[in-house]
Amino acid sequence: MKIFIDTANLNEIRKAKALGLVDGVTTNPTLLAKEGETAETLIRKISKEVKGPVNVEVTGITCEEIVKEAKVLATWGDEIVIKIPINQEGLKAVRILATEGIQTNVTLLFSASQAILAAKAGATYICPFIGRLDDISFNGLELIQQIREIYDNYDEIETRIIVASVRNPIHVIEAARMGAEIVTIPPAILDQMAKHPLTDRGIAQFLEDAKKIGVKK
Ligand code: G3P
């Protein structure tokens, strides 16, 4: 399973990179707006920092606008993936960009039917937002299970699942058990994944006992 980091914060990206945990980055306009730089400046910096896909979202509404914008965004780095919200204009744009060899990520995806259409359009990736489904009392992980089952039924589907809107380590564990190719994880959740109270207690105990046997720091 690949881990993408769900942030546009360069320091957080560098921190996760030092741990070997950045196979790619996902951004959206909300994440970019937190950083106080223009989207282009920041995405160019992130692209230099990261070896792997850097996902950038379009803001165009019509197919024509999306395709035009995507072609500009694609020049901001070596491996830019164009995030496109799913609707009919977005799907038309995905098809056109796929034929032109531009990688796409169909985002704001909340149902298995949308996942089928995204795959048929030729999306490189899809981003089902599981946390936002949980927020409104639908089980986001069940959606991942459904999409995995559907995509596995058809050899011709090459679209990869990026589990997004991840809110806790259990989301990551369950997504991995279901065989999602990628999970995009916010930095705070990556921190939580490394922690365990028994690990902390064990380290403290070992350090205490090490003093008794003459081990000095
Ligand atoms: O990658 C999608 C993600 O940024 C959305 O997360 O927490 O705003 O639902 P959230």
Side-chain angles (χ1 to χ4, degrees):
M1 185 186 71
K2 289 194 169 156
I3 290 181
F4 287 6
I5 185 155
D6 195 25
T7 183
N9 184 286
L10 262 180
N11 289 333
E12 295 288 2
I13 291 168
R14 289 185 182 124
K15 201 173 127 194
K17 190 179 154 191
L19 295 168
L21 292 176
V22 182
D23 297 314
V25 175
T26 48
T27 68
N28 60 39
T30 305
L31 292 173
L32 287 165
K34 288 182 188 164
E35 301 304 321
E37 284 190 271
T38 68
E40 180 172 356
T41 305
L42 196 47
I43 293 296
R44 285 187 183 279
K45 285 185 191 170
I46 293 171
S47 294
K48 285 206 178 91
E49 195 70 41
V50 171
K51 195 173 168 333
V54 175
N55 287 257
V56 192
E57 190 154 337
V58 291
T59 52
I61 302 293
T62 65
C63 169
E64 198 184 352
E65 286 166 356
I66 295 169
V67 170
K68 195 170 160 206
E69 189 182 351
K71 288 180 181 172
V72 175
L73 298 181
T75 66
W76 289 0
D78 289 339
E79 214 181 317
I80 299 291
V81 175
I82 309 299
K83 278 179 100 176
I84 302 175
I86 181 154
N87 55 29
Q88 294 194 0
E89 290 301 298
L91 288 170
K92 280 193 271 178
V94 168
R95 170 150 305 285
I96 292 167
L97 293 168
T99 58
E100 299 188 16
I102 294 179
Q103 296 198 73
T104 56
N105 174 354
V106 171
T107 189
L108 285 168
L109 188 141
F110 293 99
S111 74
S113 59
Q114 290 177 322
I116 292 170
L117 297 185
K120 289 293 288 178
T124 320
Y125 303 97
I126 55 165
C127 258
F129 276 26
I130 64 171
R132 291 190 193 188
L133 278 173
D134 289 357
D135 291 345
I136 57 161
S137 303
F138 285 86
N139 187 333
L141 284 164
E142 270 176 22
L143 172 63
I144 302 303
Q145 186 79 69
Q146 283 179 8
I147 299 172
R148 179 73 283 154
E149 188 186 331
I150 292 165
Y151 281 12
D152 284 349
N153 282 342
Y154 300 98
D155 288 342
E156 69 271 24
I157 293 183
E158 290 175 0
T159 305
R160 278 160 277 165
I161 303 168
I162 305 178
V163 176
S165 185
V166 162
R167 299 278 164 76
N168 55 60
I170 292 174
H171 277 160
V172 181
I173 295 165
E174 293 302 319
R177 292 179 68 194
M178 289 169 191
E181 286 92 352
I182 302 148
V183 181
T184 188
I185 308 177
I189 309 297
L190 272 184
D191 287 347
Q192 288 176 14
M193 286 171 69
K195 285 197 182 125
H196 198 288
L198 293 179
T199 307
D200 294 342
R201 203 191 301 170
I203 289 172
Q205 179 76 57
F206 287 154
L207 288 179
E208 204 47 45
D209 289 342
K211 288 184 205 155
K212 298 176 195 161
I213 53 171
V215 179
K216 286 189 189 141
K217 275 209 265 179

